[in-house]
Amino acid sequence: MQVAMAEEAYRSPAAQISVTRNGEADMSHEEVFQRDVPHNINSGSITSHFQSSPENYAMNEGVVQVGPYTGALTEQQTAGAVVLADDIKSPAIEKLELMRKWSINTYKCTKQILSEKLGRGSRTVDLELEAQIEVLRDNKRKYEHVIKLAQTLCTQLAQMLQTQRQLGDAFADLSLKTPELHEEFGYNAETQKLLAKNGETLLGAINFFISSVKTLVDKTIEDTLVNIKQYEAARIEYDAYRTDLEELNLGPRDANTLPKIEQSQQHFQIHREKYEKMRIDVSVKLKFLEENKVKVLHNQLILFHNAIAAYFAGNQQQLEQTLKQFHIKLKLPGGETPSWLEEH
């Protein structure tokens, strides 16, 4: 009789246990079961009591069947882990990871730039290289000013040539209509036409000078400045991760901070190597640029000087010889090319 009562007391709460759609037991009924069982009876004594009789063993099996099936759940969780592993390899997850790394890098670099501008952060400086970069930027501004002035000179010279041609035509017309001053008007007409012709030769030489210097500034020097900008960006990244590593080293060293310090050390080493490589590349680029710049400007300055001197000296042969020396050909009348020059 006592066994039957105990069996009924044990079975009733278990029979009331409900199962959710996920296969898990409703915890509210579990609390009811724990409340109904006397507190002075522990789980160990109940288990040993019922295992001593076959009837209770059968009843215990019924209780176990009511609970959630953990084997299927374990397999389901294992299968879920495999799906997550596949998702990590998907392009969407990779893009998110790249975005996360980019955001962290941008934040660190922005913080470093603000710290430098506010005078709170330190920056790595190569004094010799920084001086060369500053000289290059200053020279670029001066070369652009020379190009602008030379273009203004070409515009004014072209206007003067137009006036000389019109004046030569006017003198030639008056030479035909004024017999008593035919020779005087004729001399002046020929002089103005000769000056206009020499002016076109000078204009071609100046345009060639502008084109060569503009190529040097807009392509050669600009290409070097692009590398310099990349070098400066690498320097900021290097200083940002260096500062981050220094801050971590000043903090406590425990199980939580040591992995962060090790990871920061790896990032610091990567950006340090990148910075050193960019610094060497820029140094070599500046050296080659200086050699090329001297060679180009040497030839173009000689051309400019000889052409101007020959024009104002009235030496037509010397002016034409200067153009042949630098392989400059004037535009033929009715030519398809819009420029004055054709370089061999």
Side-chain angles (χ1 to χ4, degrees), residues 1 20 23 55 69 78 87-88 102 112 125 137 143 155 185 197 240 242 263 267 270 276 278 288 299 301 344:
M1 184 65 180
T20 62
E55 295 83 4
Y69 180 59
T78 305
D87 290 340
I88 294 176
W102 176 84
Q112 177 66 25
V125 179
R137 286 173 172 162
Y143 296 156
T155 301
F185 279 122
K197 180 180 179 181
R242 174 183 58 80
Q263 185 180 15
H267 291 164
I270 292 174
E276 291 293 337
M278 292 300 303
F288 287 134
N299 294 332
L301 290 173
H344 293 286

Side-chain angles (χ1 to χ4, degrees), residues 223-327:
D223 181 62
T224 304
L225 290 176
V226 170
N227 289 351
I228 290 174
K229 291 179 181 178
Q230 295 174 352
Y231 155 75
E232 292 175 343
R235 196 276 305 167
I236 292 174
E237 290 180 350
Y238 165 68
D239 283 337
Y241 283 91
R242 174 183 58 80
T243 303
D244 188 45
L245 179 60
E246 291 175 355
E247 292 177 354
L248 289 176
N249 287 329
L250 292 176
R253 291 177 174 268
D254 51 27
N256 294 328
T257 59
L258 285 178
K260 295 181 180 179
I261 294 175
E262 183 178 356
Q263 185 180 15
S264 179
Q265 181 69 35
Q266 294 176 356
H267 291 164
F268 165 76
Q269 189 65 28
I270 292 174
H271 288 87
R272 180 181 180 180
E273 294 175 357
K274 179 181 178 181
Y275 164 73
E276 291 293 337
K277 181 179 181 300
M278 292 300 303
R279 185 178 64 83
I280 296 173
D281 291 345
V282 169
S283 299
V284 174
K285 195 94 173 180
L286 287 173
K287 181 180 178 181
F288 287 134
L289 174 63
E290 185 67 21
E291 296 176 356
N292 187 30
K293 181 191 71 174
V294 171
K295 180 180 178 181
V296 171
L297 291 181
H298 172 75
N299 294 332
Q300 297 306 314
L301 290 173
I302 291 178
L303 164 67
F304 191 83
H305 172 269
N306 292 346
I308 292 289
Y311 172 78
F312 284 100
N315 192 340
Q316 181 180 2
Q317 294 181 353
Q318 181 63 32
L319 185 60
E320 294 177 352
Q321 184 64 31
T322 300
L323 267 65
K324 291 180 180 180
Q325 179 183 355
F326 292 92
H327 307 287

Side-chain angles (χ1 to χ4, degrees), residues 59-127:
M59 179 274 298
N60 194 17
E61 286 184 348
V63 174
V64 172
Q65 291 176 359
V66 174
Y69 180 59
T70 58
L73 182 60
T74 304
E75 293 177 358
Q76 183 178 3
Q77 292 176 351
T78 305
V82 174
V83 173
L84 290 176
D86 292 338
D87 290 340
I88 294 176
K89 298 179 182 180
S90 65
I93 299 299
E94 292 179 357
K95 290 181 180 179
L96 289 176
E97 183 65 19
L98 291 175
M99 180 63 68
R100 186 186 67 85
K101 292 180 180 180
W102 176 84
S103 301
I104 294 174
N105 186 74
T106 303
Y107 167 75
K108 291 180 181 294
C109 293
T110 304
K111 180 181 177 182
Q112 177 66 25
I113 293 173
L114 292 177
S115 299
E116 293 177 3
K117 290 185 177 181
L118 295 175
R120 299 177 181 176
S122 60
R123 64 187 299 264
T124 304
V125 179
D126 188 330
L127 296 178

Side-chain angles (χ1 to χ4, degrees), residues 214-229:
K214 193 173 180 62
T215 300
L216 174 67
V217 173
D218 294 343
K219 294 184 178 180
T220 309
I221 295 180
E222 187 63 29
D223 181 62
T224 304
L225 290 176
V226 170
N227 289 351
I228 290 174
K229 291 179 181 178

